[in-house]
Amino acid sequence: MVKRSWAEPYKIKSVELLKMTTKAEREAAIAEAGYNTFLLRSEDVYIDLLTDSGTSAMSDLQWAALMRGDEAYAGSRNFYELERTVQEHYGYRYLVPCHQGRGAENIMSQILIKKGDYIPGNMYFTTTRLHQELAGGEFVDVIIDEAHDPANEHPFKGNVDMAKMAALVDRVGADKVPYISLEGNVNMAGGQPFSMENLRQLRSFCDKYNILIMLDATRTVENAFFIQQREAGYANKTVKQILREICDMTEGCTMSAKKDSLVNIGGFFACNDETIYRKAINLVVVYEGLHTYGGMAGRDMEALAQGIRESVMDEHQKARIGQVHYLGHLLEKEGVPIVQPLGSHAIFLDAKRFLPHVDQDLYPAQALAAALYVDSGIRSMERGNVSAGRDPKTGQNRRPKLELVRLTIPRRVYTQAHMDVVAESVIEIYEKRNQIKGLRMIYEPEYLRFFQARFAPVDGVGE
Ligand code: PM9
């Protein structure tokens, strides 16, 4: 058989120079940042794998789109272009632009949630759950158990457990469950997809109980790619067709366009129901901006429309996910514990197996992210006990089953050689893992603490 590797369906036209730092400089920088990679200055970072959110490289056509910005306060032609593009690719009738995903989450949560409601979801996401709670709801995790086991190789770990859904409806009554929040390529589970078969089962369950399915569409194009690759009957469908099939089974979505859609800022709420839409445009003018821009400049809406068209190209997804898996395979070969199967947007180090000597309340994933930065200037993100926050009822750390460090790959930004350097550094600190100590939290903000919390090293190993 002829071998053909994945390779980028683009070439590089412009580059951004990076500053190189010494180990002593990085030690000083991480101490100054309170051992929180969010608090580092980006100029002190060599390879930035903090997030794939807003960090993608735009194409020449997207940069050209910026020049087509119609910066009218009302009725910008870029809004109508974006509306047409969302209708074509995501299929929803009504579009409400928002400045980014959490703007859309705020609006949707306020419209659909009443105090005392329960919101099932295929695992929590930090901002999504917070908006549900602020609107008076309680999040209920209904993802399959396999998703909480980093070593489990289930191909669709983003699936909803239908028995958990049924148990929730039995316990609280369907009238207390306005919608399920269904996330494509579940971020906190390691970028794991749901299957079309699971979505069909969910659709018929929700029809029976009159529960809406609201998609978190943030990485649903990447979910569509996994369906094409893994699910029987989909090998000959395009990513674009699969995305429409997913969306057509749901009532609406919130979207952080900063991920799949290859832009640096933007998002939207979209739906099919006119009453919900009317409420959304009523709220968007309070929190975001007029309903024809919702916090985005005209030029940003034009670049987003172009980004959506590029995101559904099969060859784009093949190279994007090919690069993430290239890094994953390098780490697998050396026995570094990572979440399986490999996800779409990141490789997740399993900090519980990496640092078994550090108790979860000494934040092993936070400590590992800091150690990786000191070793090589690579910035990653904690996705464990710090991100999970405290249980509002008990005030205790949630101590989630997954204690992960996310090596998130921005789209179209880094090369294969960068991935080699990342793997070399992770492997080196894996060999020296016994030297890594835990951290204690010395400053804790009230909301989304992972963004701004500060830490200090503990004295003894595991303390
Ligand atoms: N995700 C990420 O890095 C950015 C900030 S949180 C650390 O993964 C999902 C699935 C997301 C997401 C953001 C949002 C919020 C909603 N759903 O950041 O407000 O991954 O655009 O979107 C981040 P915004």
Side-chain angles (χ1 to χ4, degrees):
M1 209 177 100
V2 184
K3 180 173 190 285
R4 289 287 178 276
S5 300
W6 64 272
E8 293 81 358
Y10 53 82
K11 57 186 177 177
I12 296 166
K13 190 178 286 205
S14 173
V15 298
E16 180 180 338
L17 300 186
L18 298 172
K19 187 176 103 180
M20 309 304 277
T21 51
T22 63
K23 190 167 182 206
E25 286 167 339
R26 294 192 293 273
E27 278 167 346
I30 196 75
E32 175 75 25
Y35 297 85
N36 185 345
T37 52
F38 275 101
L39 301 179
L40 288 166
R41 288 169 187 251
S42 109
E43 63 174 9
D44 293 335
V45 171
Y46 172 40
I47 301 176
D48 202 346
L49 307 187
L50 182 72
T51 177
D52 62 331
S53 180
T55 53
S56 297
M58 292 208 297
S59 68
D60 51 353
L61 292 181
Q62 287 179 288
W63 282 102
L66 294 183
M67 286 306 292
R68 304 188 56 233
D70 168 8
E71 306 307 340
Y73 186 87
S76 159
R77 72 181 145 76
N78 311 125
F79 166 75
Y80 296 105
E81 174 62 15
L82 179 59
E83 186 184 49
R84 258 197 309 280
T85 309
V86 170
Q87 285 166 344
E88 179 188 341
H89 292 83
Y90 289 84
Y92 303 114
R93 204 165 305 140
Y94 300 110
L95 170 74
V96 184
C98 295
H99 76 283
Q100 60 183 83
R102 69 199 76 177
E105 289 170 348
N106 173 35
I107 286 168
M108 185 177 81
S109 303
Q110 288 202 38
I111 294 171
L112 296 182
I113 301 175
K114 296 186 306 304
K115 196 168 166 27
D117 280 348
Y118 295 84
I119 317 301
N122 54 346
M123 203 170 268
Y124 83 100
F125 185 71
T126 52
T127 57
T128 321
R129 181 176 63 194
L130 179 59
H131 281 297
Q132 291 164 358
E133 288 171 355
L134 291 173
E138 187 179 315
F139 167 79
V140 181
D141 190 5
V142 293
I143 203 165
I144 57 172
D145 286 342
E146 288 87 337
H148 292 280
D149 173 2
N152 191 296
E153 306 240 5
H154 192 297
F156 291 105
K157 278 166 102 173
N159 279 354
V160 172
D161 184 328
M162 298 312 303
K164 289 184 188 172
M165 272 301 277
L168 174 68
V169 168
D170 270 0
R171 178 164 69 85
V172 304
D175 56 335
K176 288 244 181 286
V177 184
Y179 68 95
I180 174 167
S181 173
L182 180 74
E183 185 187 335
N185 264 19
V186 181
N187 192 354
M188 302 302 281
Q192 305 293 333
F194 57 73
S195 69
M196 202 67 90
E197 190 194 355
N198 185 251
L199 177 53
R200 268 188 227 109
Q201 289 167 0
L202 183 66
R203 181 69 272 167
S204 65
F205 179 91
C206 289
D207 283 344
K208 186 164 160 207
Y209 291 101
N210 210 10
I211 295 170
L212 305 179
I213 304 179
M214 302 307 289
L215 187 66
D216 180 339
T218 299
R219 295 184 184 85
T220 303
V221 185
E222 292 181 358
N223 196 124
F225 180 78
F226 279 142
I227 288 176
Q228 183 194 61
Q229 299 297 306
R230 296 179 186 168
E231 191 162 353
Y234 285 90
N236 294 324
K237 293 203 173 168
T238 62
V239 167
K240 183 177 169 182
Q241 289 168 329
I242 299 169
L243 177 68
R244 265 309 289 272
E245 196 173 326
I246 293 171
C247 295
D248 287 353
M249 273 193 274
T250 68
E251 272 84 15
C253 79
T254 53
M255 174 69 172
S256 170
K258 300 168 72 174
K259 284 80 162 173
D260 267 353
S261 313
L262 300 159
V263 285
N264 305 122
I265 192 71
F268 55 83
F269 170 70
C271 65
N272 291 325
D273 181 89
E274 191 180 344
T275 311
I276 295 176
Y277 166 69
R278 296 262 160 237
K279 288 183 183 170
I281 55 172
N282 201 9
L283 280 182
V284 84
V285 294
V286 181
Y287 293 106
E288 303 281 314
L290 192 75
H291 59 280
T292 55
Y293 75 86
M296 297 178 73
R299 56 180 173 271
D300 292 330
M301 292 190 281
E302 193 70 22
L304 170 53
Q306 177 60 24
I308 290 172
R309 290 191 284 273
E310 293 175 15
S311 74
V312 297
M313 293 175 177
D314 286 26
E315 62 274 20
H316 162 67
Q317 289 301 340
K318 188 172 170 218
R320 188 282 183 279
I321 295 176
Q323 184 181 46
V324 174
H325 288 198
Y326 173 80
L327 173 61
H329 295 319
L330 292 176
L331 297 177
E332 272 169 356
K333 260 198 286 183
E334 298 303 319
V336 176
I338 57 178
V339 172
Q340 296 291 347
L342 303 178
S344 66
H345 66 304
I347 295 301
F348 291 74
L349 306 177
D350 181 355
K352 279 192 184 167
R353 277 187 291 157
F354 208 113
L355 302 177
H357 55 281
V358 180
D359 182 81
Q360 204 171 3
D361 279 336
L362 296 177
Y363 310 112
Q366 189 78 29
L368 183 51
L372 180 62
Y373 171 73
V374 170
D375 185 69
S376 52
I378 293 165
R379 169 153 71 171
S380 56
M381 186 197 289
E382 190 265 9
R383 297 275 74 167
N385 206 12
V386 183
S387 294
R390 291 179 190 276
D391 183 319
K393 287 182 186 147
T394 65
Q396 298 299 306
N397 277 336
R398 284 191 169 99
R399 294 176 68 96
K401 289 208 177 89
L402 297 177
E403 179 72 26
L404 309 174
V405 171
R406 191 179 72 175
L407 305 168
T408 339
I409 316 298
R411 296 163 186 79
R412 310 193 291 205
V413 172
Y414 290 113
T415 65
Q416 199 155 328
H418 286 117
M419 296 302 114
D420 290 338
V421 172
V422 173
E424 287 159 13
S425 175
V426 172
I427 291 162
E428 184 162 347
I429 59 168
Y430 186 55
E431 282 159 7
K432 296 191 296 204
R433 59 193 177 278
N434 291 336
Q435 296 168 22
I436 299 174
K437 298 174 185 174
L439 296 168
R440 66 197 157 80
M441 201 182 292
I442 54 172
Y443 167 67
E444 180 173 359
E446 185 179 357
Y447 297 124
L448 303 173
R449 64 184 184 176
F450 58 93
F451 282 129
Q452 290 148 350
R454 299 184 71 83
F455 302 83
V458 295
D459 297 332
V461 172
E463 209 174 57

